[in-house]
Amino acid sequence: MASAAAAHIQQGSLSAIFNSTDDSNTTTAQPILQCVQVKPLGAQQGAPERYRVVFSDISNFVQSMLATQANHVVTEGKLRKGCFVRLTKFQASQVKGKRIIIVLELDVLEELGECDKIGEPKALELKTEDESKPQSTTISSNGFYGAKPQQQEQQPQLQQQQQRSLPSRAGGTSSSAHANIYPIEALSPYAHKWTIKARCTNKSDIKTWHNKNGEGKLFSVNLLDDSGEIRGTGFQEQCDLLYDLFQEGSVYYISSPCRVQLAKKQFTNLNNDYELTFERDTVVEKAEEQGGVPQVRFNFTNIADLQTVEKDTTIDTIGVLKEVGETSQITSKTTSKPYDKRELTLVDNTNYSVRLTIWGNTATSFDVAPESVIAFKGVKVSDFGGRSLSLLSSGSMTIDPDIDEAHKLKGWYDAQGRSDTFTSHASMGSSVGMAGGRNETYKTIIQVKDENLGLSETTDYFTTKATIIYVKQENISYPACLSEGCNKKVVEVDSGQWRCERCDKTHPKPEYRYIMSVNVSDHTGQIWLSCFDDVGRLIMGMSADQLMELKDNDDKAAGEVFQEANCKSWIFKCRAKMDNFQDQQRVRYQVSSASAVNYPTECAKLVDMLRLYNID
């Protein structure tokens, strides 16, 4: 069987994909290869599973990555080690100095069976003269489009000179001007001289800011191609230059230089570890051919399943618009700015309903007839009222989309849904408790670390009983504004004058508030916890104002207060979340509340644990 299957494999096809300069080469248009390894990659919570695959053409092997839309060949058990495949659509790229193939579509040739690795394939060696050139290639069933002949390579140089003087163009550009197209999925800080062809699926409003460091403005867009999505942001001049150029639904060529950096997950709902920042020389051109790039891609969660989705998770959902509320206005506690909001009620064929909130201009300009089907991309799950949804600023909605899910919902609603009764998630809030709205989950410190709490995109909550072994004395408090409900940091601009930028007020003195770091320990390990003012007062036995005054007047007495705080045990209710600090990601464990150990209660818990061991 191995020899029969080997006859179908096109030896040398991998080398031709990356090294050939002849775009008439058709042997690599749909190469037949052997799969010699399939390995799942660790996916973030709420994100689809990713798979790394190694393909061999007997002569060479190459690392490959399955695009998420091709995951079904693994989950259905078709793509296995030793099988044979035909790649029908893929993109060859360079990532971190290595050549990989992003597989968009493939056929598993089950008639060829499975066998052990054929031959002794070697790692692919590439032509050294091509090392400084972008190697990305777009390949589909239409044929092979590799590097252009040498006489055409002079054209991009002239084109680049023109682009230097005009970083963005409103005029259309054909794909022939961009021979080397990178897939979004292959972009990284190590990729250079790339061009992507992507559809703008969402464009934000222009946002402005003003603080002590100055003022500015920005906007962002979501960009989509066959391989994935990525967020791009333009600041200041790039905001002025590119905002009108980008239009939702249109396709663009975007070429480096353009900064690729770690994504700030608090500002995006896209499944990509990186994001783009448009720079002065970034080239953005509207494509003449608006086809060949997918429309908005959804990964729907039905309304009934919201109860199983973690709080603060970002999802896509689709439903029939049952009710439309009136526009109302709320005032933000943090910025004191008013925000318009409108509440919608969605239902689907699971016979559940959910309340979804839209904000700002989307709320005030909302003019959709009830009983329309709406697909939402990028909504945040809340546990308020059992389960509710909120459309993020980076999210979008599509009215009556031309997709199968929308057609099915419309047919169901017209046939029976209009007269059905629906269950609300508000009646299923029994799992939500009084303490912060969550059940207490007791963890030892080793469990917190072993279970990787805080490493997912969502916040993890836990309760632990631990003893303080050290209180960090440096930066234990900060000077806060005296205005009620503000608590922002104030700056001493002159003797006896402390200014708050948020309130635009000056106070004769600040109120110091705790921002403590404490090292705690139990019988399994130790961990650093961050504590704010309420918890700090409990631990130190005095306010931060009193402690700062004591440090100024009697440093020895202040030292004794710190010593007194050590070796005391507390019940800490905490949350763990990934935090960005100086471009480094780390897990931060923040204490939301603390209480003294109730020894009778703790003894009862220990007795219950001992009973689990069936000890007489």
Side-chain angles (χ1 to χ4, degrees):
M1 179 181 289
S3 59
H8 291 81
I9 295 180
Q10 296 156 337
Q11 296 190 41
S13 57
L14 293 178
S15 177
I17 287 172
F18 289 100
N19 290 329
S20 176
T21 59
D22 181 7
D23 61 357
S24 65
N25 185 351
T26 60
T27 63
T28 54
Q30 294 188 355
I32 295 178
L33 307 169
Q34 184 182 25
C35 171
V36 296
Q37 185 185 75
V38 181
K39 181 180 179 182
L41 300 177
Q44 295 180 331
Q45 185 172 350
E49 185 69 85
R50 303 303 306 274
Y51 295 96
R52 176 178 292 145
V53 186
V54 178
F55 289 119
S56 164
D57 67 359
I58 301 180
S59 300
N60 301 105
F61 67 84
V62 68
Q63 297 274 354
S64 304
M65 186 81 71
L66 283 187
T68 52
Q69 66 262 32
N71 281 354
H72 64 92
V73 294
V74 178
T75 57
E76 293 171 2
K78 294 181 180 179
L79 184 64
R80 297 190 295 269
K81 181 178 179 181
C83 73
F84 299 87
V85 303
R86 177 187 289 111
L87 305 187
T88 56
K89 190 174 183 182
F90 57 95
Q91 294 171 323
S93 306
Q94 175 180 306
V95 178
K96 299 182 181 180
K98 298 180 180 179
R99 268 57 174 185
I100 69 167
I101 292 177
I102 308 296
V103 180
L104 305 174
E105 296 177 6
L106 77 163
D107 296 328
V108 178
L109 306 178
E110 298 181 35
E111 66 272 16
L112 297 182
E114 300 175 12
C115 65
D116 293 337
K117 180 176 66 175
I118 300 176
E120 293 295 331
K122 299 180 180 179
L124 185 63
E125 294 184 1
L126 303 172
K127 293 183 179 180
T128 55
E129 62 265 29
D130 291 338
E131 286 296 320
S132 62
K133 301 177 183 178
Q135 296 292 333
S136 176
T137 307
T138 301
I139 300 173
S140 68
S141 58
N142 297 327
F144 172 71
Y145 302 91
K148 293 296 180 184
Q150 188 171 2
Q151 61 266 26
Q152 294 184 0
E153 293 180 359
Q154 298 174 359
Q155 184 177 356
Q157 296 178 2
L158 177 60
Q159 185 183 45
Q160 187 176 13
Q161 293 175 359
Q162 296 170 344
Q163 292 168 351
R164 290 287 181 181
S165 60
L166 187 62
S168 64
R169 298 179 182 175
T173 302
S174 66
S175 59
S176 61
H178 298 283
N180 296 310
I181 302 297
Y182 252 63
I184 285 176
E185 199 164 43
L187 290 177
S188 77
Y190 308 98
H192 303 284
K193 297 181 181 179
W194 50 260
T195 296
I196 61 172
K197 182 181 180 183
R199 187 180 302 278
C200 174
T201 59
N202 179 262
K203 182 175 78 168
S204 73
D205 295 330
I206 293 178
K207 301 176 182 178
T208 59
W209 74 86
H210 175 78
N211 55 34
K212 62 181 180 181
N213 297 321
E215 59 185 22
K217 53 187 171 182
L218 63 87
F219 83 104
S220 61
V221 291
N222 291 350
L223 303 168
L224 168 73
D225 71 3
D226 277 322
S227 67
E229 295 178 273
I230 196 167
R231 179 175 182 261
T233 303
F235 294 88
Q236 308 291 58
E237 294 179 0
Q238 300 312 306
C239 180
D240 294 332
L241 191 64
L242 299 176
Y243 186 79
D244 290 333
L245 176 58
F246 277 109
Q247 299 296 325
E248 289 186 6
S250 296
V251 177
Y252 298 87
Y253 291 103
I254 301 168
S255 303
S256 59
C258 182
R259 193 189 323 156
V260 183
Q261 60 191 22
L262 284 173
K264 298 178 177 64
K265 292 297 185 180
Q266 65 269 36
F267 300 124
T268 178
N269 60 296
L270 301 183
N271 178 31
N272 198 319
D273 292 332
Y274 299 111
E275 63 184 13
L276 304 177
T277 299
F278 303 126
E279 298 183 332
R280 180 174 61 87
D281 293 327
T282 300
V283 180
V284 180
E285 304 165 283
K286 191 171 183 179
E288 289 181 359
E289 307 92 348
Q290 292 291 300
V293 179
Q295 302 289 334
V296 179
R297 181 180 296 147
F298 296 100
N299 184 22
F300 291 124
T301 298
N302 65 47
I303 297 176
D305 289 342
L306 291 178
Q307 196 65 34
T308 64
V309 177
E310 290 280 346
K311 176 184 177 294
D312 295 330
T313 301
T314 301
I315 64 164
D316 305 337
T317 194
I318 186 171
V320 177
L321 182 61
K322 188 72 172 176
E323 297 176 4
V324 180
E326 295 295 327
T327 304
S328 59
Q329 199 171 77
I330 63 170
T331 302
S332 170
K333 292 182 180 179
T334 56
T335 64
S336 299
K337 293 181 179 179
Y339 289 93
D340 294 310
K341 59 176 284 192
R342 188 192 295 266
E343 292 186 350
L344 312 176
T345 301
L346 297 180
V347 298
D348 68 7
N349 53 7
T350 62
N351 287 104
Y352 272 78
S353 67
V354 68
R355 188 179 69 255
L356 188 150
T357 305
I358 55 177
W359 303 88
N361 292 334
T362 305
T364 55
S365 62
F366 186 82
D367 187 23
V368 180
E371 302 189 354
S372 299
V373 176
I374 309 180
F376 290 91
K377 182 173 182 63
V379 292
K380 187 176 181 179
V381 179
S382 167
D383 60 3
F384 182 76
R387 279 295 185 271
S388 58
L389 303 174
S390 178
L391 181 63
L392 299 173
S393 59
S394 58
S396 62
M397 63 179 181
T398 306
I399 314 302
D400 291 324
D402 187 14
I403 56 178
D404 289 344
E405 292 88 346
H407 300 321
K408 291 177 182 177
L409 272 180
K410 188 64 174 175
W412 158 80
Y413 191 79
D414 289 341
Q416 67 178 82
R418 187 176 284 107
S419 58
D420 280 354
T421 57
F422 299 92
T423 304
S424 167
H425 285 287
S427 61
M428 300 184 64
S430 58
S431 62
V432 184
M434 294 295 292
R438 297 168 191 90
N439 286 335
E440 296 181 6
T441 305
Y442 272 82
K443 303 283 185 184
T444 61
I445 290 176
I446 193 66
Q447 285 176 318
V448 171
K449 295 180 178 180
D450 287 349
E451 294 175 17
N452 294 321
L453 298 186
L455 289 179
S456 63
E457 293 185 4
T458 58
T459 304
D460 292 317
Y461 297 87
F462 66 93
T463 301
T464 190
K465 179 169 70 75
T467 302
I468 296 176
I469 58 176
Y470 180 72
V471 179
K472 187 178 179 181
Q473 299 188 29
E474 296 81 12
N475 300 321
I476 193 173
S477 64
Y478 73 96
C481 178
L482 290 174
S483 299
E484 185 177 356
C486 180
N487 298 333
K488 291 294 183 181
K489 184 178 180 179
V490 293
V491 179
E492 188 175 21
V493 294
D494 204 348
S495 179
Q497 293 186 356
W498 295 80
R499 178 162 181 78
C500 175
E501 291 290 339
R502 176 186 166 188
C503 297
D504 196 21
K505 292 181 181 179
T506 300
H507 302 283
K509 66 175 183 177
E511 176 192 21
Y512 283 91
R513 296 178 63 85
Y514 285 112
I515 46 170
M516 298 171 54
S517 292
V518 297
N519 192 245
V520 302
S521 175
D522 67 6
H523 64 286
T524 65
Q526 62 185 47
I527 199 173
W528 282 96
L529 301 178
S530 299
C531 309
F532 290 126
D533 195 60
D534 290 344
V535 177
R537 288 170 178 262
L538 192 62
I539 292 174
M540 302 304 296
M542 62 178 63
S543 68
D545 266 337
Q546 293 171 320
L547 180 61
M548 294 302 293
E549 184 178 357
L550 190 62
K551 289 184 70 173
D552 291 340
N553 298 327
D554 191 342
D555 194 59
K556 182 179 179 181
E560 292 175 354
V561 172
F562 281 98
Q563 287 296 329
E564 184 69 20
N566 290 333
C567 301
K568 290 185 177 179
S569 297
W570 301 89
I571 304 295
F572 295 102
K573 292 183 180 179
C574 309
R575 62 178 183 178
K577 189 174 184 180
M578 187 66 73
D579 188 27
N580 288 301
F581 180 73
Q582 296 181 346
D583 293 330
Q584 296 290 324
Q585 287 191 318
R586 63 180 183 181
V587 178
R588 184 182 184 188
Y589 304 102
Q590 183 177 311
V591 180
S592 56
S593 67
S595 58
V597 177
N598 185 318
Y599 288 99
T601 301
E602 291 301 312
C603 287
K605 288 180 181 178
L606 291 174
V607 170
D608 290 339
M609 291 177 62
L610 289 172
R611 286 173 179 165
L612 296 176
Y613 292 95
N614 295 320
I615 300 176
D616 295 330

